[in-house]
Every structure is written in C-alpha cells, then in structure tokens.
Amino acid sequence: MPGTRGAVPVPLHTNGGQRDLTEEILEAVDQHEHVPTAEAFPSTPQDKIKAALDRLASRQMVEYETHDKEEVHLTEEGQAIADEGSHEYKVWDAVRKAGRLSLKDPSLANASARLGQGNAFKLKWIKKDGDALVSLTDSVSDTTREQLQYAQEHRAFQDPKLLKDYSKRKLVNTQKVIAYVARKGPRWAKQMPVEVTDLTAEMIADGSWKTANFKPYNFNAKGTLGGEGVGGGTGALHPLNKVREEFRKIFFNMGFEEMPTARFVDSGFWNFDALYVPQQHPARDLQDTFYVSDPPEAGPPGADESMDIILAEMDVDDDQDESDHPSSDPATRAKDTTAKLDYQAYYENVRAVHQDGKYGSIGYRYPYTDAETRRLVLRTHTTAISAYVLHRLSANPRPCRYFSIDRVFRNETVDATHLAEFHQIEGVIADYNLTLGGLQAFLKRFFRNIGVPDLKFKPAYNPYTEPSMEVFAWHEGLNKIVEIGNSGMFRPEMLLAMGLPEDLRVYGFGLSLERPTMIKYGISNIRELLGHKVDLGFIESNPAVRLDRE
Ligand code: PHE
C-alpha cells in the first residue's frame, strides 16, 4: 500500500546477522525499568544508540535521559598493576617465595622494585634482616590492585575520593562520555507500529485519515544537499509570485493597504448581488461559474470575523481610525466596527435595488430570489472581497486605498490564453468628490509604474460601475493595442446601499496577474505558467523580475 511502511519495519537480522539496535533497545526496555545504554550496549558507539533512541522517542515509545559522565580508564602502568599486582605486592611476593632475598638480587634493581620496597616497608609486609629482606606476614591484601580492578570493571572507583590520588600517580585517567538511560514512554509498544507517511486522496475519501497513525515529522533531520533539479536544491519562487511581489510593492508605495482574500468560496450575495449582477445573468450560469454543493448554502450576509480582525490590524496604522477605536486589541476593535454595521439593512437595500429600484436607480424589476443570494460559488472575481471591505468602510467612512492580488475561478474552456482559475489584481480608492478624470490620471500613473506608458480608455459596461472603462495599451511584442484592465467608478446605488455617505466616491480597477507575467517572461501559452503542465526547470531557472519603470 503506498504511503505506509512495512508491517513490522524493524528487521530482525541486519548488519550481517546482528539484530537491529532499535529492536534490542525495545527488548531491554521491556525487561528493565531503566536501561543505562553504556552498560547495556558497551560495544555500540553512543551516536548509534542515540539515533535509535531518537527514532523511538519521537514516537513516544521510549523516553530517555542524557547523562554526561566521567569514565575512569587505566593507564598502561595501571593496567599492569591490575593484571599482575602492585609494585609492593610483587616485591613482597618475591621475598616470601625466596624466604630471604638478598638486597643485591638483580630482581630488586628495577624502578618498580625500588618503589615497591619502600611501600612494602611502610605497610610492614617486609623488613631488613642483615643484607637481605624477609617477609613479615603470610598473606597481604593488595588494595591498589583491587581498587584498580574495580575501576577497570566499573569505569569508576568505589570511593570517588580515590580518583585524585590514582590520577596523580598516573595509574588512571578519565574520559568524558555521554550515556543514556532509557525507559518506557507514554506510547510504549514492543514493536514499531505501521506508520503512514502520506495523506492520500483515498484516505480523505474513506475517512481513514482520522485514525491513521502518521509518522511524526523529524524537524531535526538534515535536508538534502543543494544541487540542480527538483528534489534537491533550494525552492524557487514561481514567476507569478515574483510579479505579484512587484505589484504589491507598487501598491504599498502608492499608499494602498492589502485586503485579506482568503475567502475563495463566497456567497452569491457578495460575488454577484451586492455588485448588481442580475440574478438571471449569463455570468451566473453553470457554464461560467463554479457552484459549491456542500455545504448547500451560505448563511445570510454577515460579519466575517477572521477578515475583520485582519482589517482591524491594518487600521492600527490609520490615525483617524485610532482615535475612533481607543482599544488596542484588534479583536475588540473588529467587534466595535461590526457593531456599527447593519448587515440585515444592507441586504434589504440590495434586494430593493434589484427588485424595485432605490437611490435613484429604477432597478431590474424582477422578483429577487433569496435562494440565489445564498448559493455558494468559487469567487469569480476579487471584487466580492472589495464589496465586503467597502461595506465595512461605512462604519467609519474615510478616504482609503485597498488592493488585493489573489486567485479567482471561472468555468471557462481551457485554451492557450484561458484557464479555469487565474489571479486578479484589484484596487479600490475611496475619497470625497472623485471624478472620472482622476481615475484616468491614477491609472496612467499606476501603469507607468509597471512600465506601460501610453494608455487608451474605452467605454465599457460593468453592472457595478458607472462609468466603466476598459484600459488598453500598446504591446511592443504583438505590435498592436491590447486590453490590459477594466475599471470604473462604483455605482451610487452600490455605495449608498452600504450606508456610505453620498459624496464619498470609489474607483475600482482590475487586471489579471497572468497577462503581465506572460509578457514579462515571453510565455505564449498560459498552461506553461499555471497547472500540471508547468515545467519545473523553467520555474527554477527564470530570472528575478523587475517591472521596467520609466
Ligand atoms: N471585477 C472586474 C473584473 O473582473 C474588475 C473591476 C474591479 C472592474 C473593480 C471595475 C471595478 O474584470
């Protein structure tokens, strides 16, 4: 089964017949409450032990503590004493065996024997008798040897005070070692469980993800080394992301704030009704719009808390707003703003404009269907978000500039220049007494900033703007004038229904992110840019972007 590891992935015999260390540790921990690894696995390097322990500890099967400790090791001389006895013992032994040992005996000539003689005298094991040595006792206990043997076996002295003395005599030295003590963890098991490494579509469909035992992430794992190609190497920004960043910078430089756009699924109300797209308009057709069937419908238009908090956070930088909202907590400020908004009244206003006309508009004069307003759609434009943000503005009407760059969906036939999803760049500017000339001046400045100098405007129609203008520019490569954007001034019946003041006007404009990106990178087929046919080599190798400014 793809995405899982074997049933019992700890092989019994690896490393040329040796048992797997992970399994050995599990066995040891099963048998003893505490397993000091240095003692339990004296011949295994501690780094291997640590790797195995980490594998088990990340699954909470085993817990372990690290102990730094000093180990006593015998020097060559210390080892000789542990094996053959101390210098004094050897002298005493020779004397005892000989009965009388002449002081001139060659066996007493070496350094060890001279040292041993002195000590043996002090210990009263031997004495001088004329020109010879005689034993004073039948048996001795060779403490030095015993203590060194103990140290050799336990890598420590029984009485830790001895360490200093023996180190000074250069019979032992110490080495720092890291050792571990392992015990059962909260999810103890004697065998490694089956672990799922990938979340698959089937698991989501059959619900098995709920109970699956996922392999834990190892955030300490080292990454693969850099290099060419997919898999290794570093990540690369998608060209659309690079161009998007350029546009964001331009917007920020021009005093815009970024709207939160994480709402990919929206209701018919925000995507269509609030923008006066007629309820029977072909754009709402299944052929043009993706509808969501589960959940079956949206609630009535209302506050979106997560969006409101982000918007309230942006307002902190806004002086006018701050005096209005003394609370510094964005969640509280978001609630204060919501309290000033009447979504129900707004909804009734929108319904009235559609059905009967209001605010000087004669309306469409058809029966308005509530069910249509509650249908859930994959948003067909980010203007759905702009509508929400503009309605929120009526809690505190003021001049402001908002932008967004995010994904939208249209149920279109896919060809070289169309995909069922693309990215929209959208801007709205609210201010008092704005005029169409001001919108043209703004658009010229905006497009000059992205390297498009000469604009042409053509009257157009949007249900939510009047007047509306399509924006055209000369395309060097194609040698002709091409459409690059859509724009307009939001209709009074849209803004008044929201509760915005009469003299507050709002510009809106939109363009696709794909169009300038394709021009920038010389791509003629949009499928080379987005979707499953994208060549990852192209993504990794294309250059950084800087839109040519004047
Ligand atoms: N929503 C428009 C589009 O999809 C763009 C636009 C936004 C036009 C705002 C006017 C005002 O093309």
Side-chain angles (χ1 to χ4, degrees):
M1 181 179 164
T4 60
R5 304 225 278 157
V8 182
V10 184
L12 274 177
H13 296 286
T14 53
N15 316 330
Q18 276 188 306
R19 272 162 37 103
D20 182 273
L21 186 56
T22 314
E23 172 139 312
E24 283 187 44
I25 290 175
L26 286 173
E27 200 141 287
V29 172
D30 190 37
Q31 279 163 18
H32 307 278
E33 204 179 324
H34 297 276
V35 177
T37 57
E39 279 95 278
F41 308 100
S43 53
T44 311
Q46 292 298 307
D47 60 333
K48 290 232 167 66
I49 290 188
K50 181 167 190 315
L53 284 173
D54 282 339
R55 224 174 299 147
L56 295 167
S58 70
R59 293 159 177 86
Q60 295 182 298
M61 293 164 68
V62 160
E63 289 175 331
Y64 72 90
E65 277 153 29
T66 307
H67 294 281
D68 270 342
K69 63 172 188 183
E70 296 222 303
E71 270 190 354
V72 175
H73 288 258
L74 305 195
T75 62
E76 208 177 306
E77 190 185 351
Q79 190 63 56
I81 291 174
D83 293 343
E84 299 154 19
S86 62
H87 304 300
E88 51 273 26
Y89 174 84
K90 281 196 266 182
V91 170
W92 171 81
D93 193 44
V95 170
R96 186 184 56 100
K97 278 182 187 145
R100 281 176 69 85
L101 191 65
S102 167
L103 282 168
K104 297 202 179 83
D105 192 276
S107 70
L108 295 174
N110 59 46
S112 156
R114 251 176 278 139
L115 198 74
Q117 251 184 80
N119 287 339
F121 282 133
K122 258 185 247 159
L123 289 163
K124 299 198 167 36
W125 289 355
I126 56 169
K127 69 169 190 182
K128 245 187 222 168
D129 184 23
D131 62 350
L133 297 173
V134 291
S135 167
L136 286 175
T137 171
D138 288 339
S139 69
V140 296
S141 89
D142 189 358
T143 320
T144 307
R145 181 187 193 177
E146 282 159 16
Q147 286 172 337
L148 286 173
Q149 281 177 333
Y150 183 94
Q152 181 184 17
E153 197 184 326
H154 296 93
R155 299 255 177 257
F157 284 103
Q158 200 164 19
D159 177 358
K161 278 184 228 143
L162 294 172
L163 175 62
K164 216 172 142 190
D165 185 30
Y166 279 95
S167 301
K168 224 199 247 153
R169 286 161 67 186
K170 296 202 164 58
L171 298 179
V172 299
N173 53 39
T174 55
Q175 287 170 19
K176 258 219 158 69
V177 290
I178 301 172
Y180 309 95
V181 178
R183 58 176 181 277
K184 288 176 183 167
R187 294 170 70 181
W188 161 254
K190 226 194 131 178
Q191 284 182 334
M192 292 276 273
V194 176
E195 289 183 322
V196 182
T197 53
D198 294 311
L199 179 63
T200 62
E202 295 87 71
M203 291 170 73
I204 294 173
D206 66 18
S208 60
W209 63 271
K210 286 181 213 159
T211 50
N213 180 25
F214 286 98
K215 183 177 182 216
Y217 281 107
N218 176 5
F219 293 109
N220 297 320
K222 299 225 164 58
T224 48
L225 285 178
E228 285 284 308
V230 185
T234 53
L237 283 181
H238 193 280
L240 282 171
N241 267 332
K242 294 184 197 172
V243 176
R244 178 171 175 268
E245 278 316 300
E246 276 291 297
F247 273 104
R248 289 183 79 224
K249 267 187 239 154
I250 289 165
F251 274 116
F252 287 132
N253 285 340
M254 295 180 89
F256 282 77
E257 293 172 284
E258 189 168 25
M259 293 183 269
T261 46
R263 213 156 79 177
F264 283 37
V265 175
D266 217 324
S267 65
F269 180 79
W270 294 110
N271 196 77
F272 293 128
D273 291 336
L275 299 164
Y276 299 122
V277 178
Q279 291 196 323
Q280 307 78 17
H281 194 277
R284 294 205 190 193
D285 213 289
L286 263 176
Q287 260 90 59
D288 297 278
T289 301
F290 290 111
Y291 286 92
V292 175
S293 56
D294 185 13
E297 58 172 28
D304 181 328
E305 200 186 325
S306 58
M307 262 174 71
D308 288 347
I309 289 175
I310 297 171
L311 288 161
E313 267 163 8
M314 295 193 329
D315 287 344
V316 175
D317 304 328
D318 196 319
D319 287 337
Q320 295 185 22
D321 219 39
E322 203 146 33
S323 56
D324 238 38
H325 296 268
S327 160
S328 60
D329 168 31
T332 311
R333 281 207 317 278
K335 278 206 193 83
D336 292 348
T337 306
T338 306
K340 293 188 196 166
L341 298 170
D342 187 342
Y343 282 90
Q344 178 63 31
Y346 175 41
Y347 179 69
E348 294 302 334
N349 290 340
V350 169
R351 158 201 280 274
V353 174
H354 276 261
Q355 193 166 279
D356 310 307
K358 198 174 175 179
Y359 309 111
S361 159
I362 59 166
Y364 291 123
R365 287 164 288 167
Y366 58 68
Y368 183 83
T369 319
D370 291 315
E372 204 54 45
T373 228
R374 297 203 177 192
R375 288 181 86 179
L376 284 164
V377 302
L378 291 186
R379 66 170 175 230
T380 62
H381 50 185
T382 44
T383 317
I385 302 285
S386 299
Y388 180 87
V389 172
L390 286 172
H391 172 251
R392 178 185 172 275
L393 187 64
S394 68
N396 179 21
R398 64 193 188 279
C400 56
R401 296 177 165 205
Y402 290 112
F403 81 95
S404 66
I405 306 174
D406 209 347
R407 203 172 277 225
V408 299
F409 306 86
R410 292 191 191 166
N411 196 354
E412 282 179 300
T413 315
V414 173
D415 63 26
T417 51
H418 292 91
L419 285 180
E421 54 192 285
F422 62 98
H423 296 81
Q424 233 172 20
I425 304 170
E426 171 144 336
V428 296
I429 299 177
D431 209 338
Y432 295 99
N433 302 314
L434 295 176
T435 63
L436 189 67
L439 174 57
Q440 292 187 331
F442 171 82
L443 289 171
K444 281 180 187 164
R445 201 143 49 84
F446 179 80
F447 280 97
R448 210 169 43 230
N449 280 344
I450 63 167
V452 180
D454 296 312
L455 297 189
K456 297 257 183 285
F457 299 102
K458 183 177 144 188
Y461 174 78
N462 293 314
Y464 40 94
T465 55
E466 181 60 34
S468 310
M469 301 183 297
E470 277 167 1
V471 185
F472 290 80
W474 179 257
H475 191 297
E476 275 301 333
L478 296 174
N479 224 27
K480 65 173 186 185
I481 284 181
V482 294
E483 193 199 330
I484 54 170
N486 180 10
S487 69
M489 298 184 68
F490 285 109
R491 283 176 171 269
E493 60 265 48
M494 180 175 145
L495 304 176
L496 294 174
M498 292 170 168
L500 288 166
E502 205 150 329
D503 50 353
L504 192 81
R505 311 262 162 85
V506 184
Y507 298 149
F509 64 100
L511 55 146
S512 91
L513 178 63
E514 279 74 2
R515 185 43 83 84
T517 307
M518 286 170 75
I519 295 171
K520 188 78 214 165
Y521 289 98
I523 301 165
S524 55
N525 190 333
I526 196 163
R527 284 169 287 197
E528 289 169 29
L529 190 62
L530 205 58
H532 64 287
K533 290 193 176 153
V534 172
D535 173 9
L536 287 176
F538 161 75
I539 302 290
E540 285 178 343
S541 63
N542 63 48
V545 69
R546 184 166 166 86
L547 298 166
D548 318 299
R549 313 213 182 126
E550 274 220 321

